[in-house]
Amino acid sequence: MSEDTIFSKIIRKEIPANIVYEDDLCLGFRDITPQAPTHILVIPKKPIPKLAEAGTEDKELLGHMLLTVKSIAEQEGLGNGYRVVINTDEDGGQTVFHLHMHLLGGRYLRWPPG
């Protein structure tokens, strides 16, 4: 069984969030501590703790999430570019153990990221 996270509570609407996208498979909402003018998190409704624990059965879900990020980026007017980040495990900077994709944009994003 997966740990109950803040993202699980957002999915269940127990915690409010500024939701910009929702379908049967995933949810997109604005990050409460944005690192760029546009910072949206896209999370699966299926509780996958981290990318390292996704299986081959999640292939369609992961593809759907990436296409959702693309759609949200278009909706947000990020035609000049954006970055998609998946942090995995503690050394990768993951703080909430529910798989999520960060959509960052609205400014020039330097490389390397940090």
Side-chain angles (χ1 to χ4, degrees):
M1 187 167 140
S2 182
E3 179 184 335
D4 195 31
T5 67
I6 190 169
F7 293 169
S8 301
K9 293 175 183 177
I10 289 171
I11 291 167
R12 293 191 306 262
K13 309 292 195 282
E14 295 171 4
I15 295 176
N18 187 348
I19 297 171
V20 299
Y21 179 88
E22 183 171 13
D23 64 23
D24 292 342
L25 300 175
C26 64
L27 185 73
F29 57 94
R30 297 194 188 280
D31 195 299
I32 61 170
T33 57
Q35 302 300 304
T38 299
H39 188 169
I40 294 170
L41 301 176
V42 175
I43 63 173
K45 289 185 174 178
K46 176 183 177 182
I48 302 169
K50 54 189 171 184
L51 185 58
E53 293 185 19
T56 56
E57 70 277 6
D58 299 312
K59 175 173 55 174
E60 288 184 29
L61 173 59
L62 296 173
H64 177 75
M65 289 176 66
L66 281 172
L67 291 174
T68 296
V69 167
K70 174 186 173 247
S71 175
I72 293 170
E74 291 169 355
Q75 170 186 305
E76 293 289 316
L78 299 178
N80 284 342
Y82 54 91
R83 182 171 292 159
V84 181
V85 176
I86 301 173
N87 299 321
T88 303
D89 235 330
E90 285 131 10
D91 282 356
Q94 186 176 7
T95 57
V96 177
F97 286 86
H98 184 120
L99 176 66
H100 54 288
M101 297 179 179
H102 296 259
L103 167 60
L104 299 152
R107 67 170 170 82
Y108 179 77
L109 300 169
R110 303 200 181 280
W111 194 262

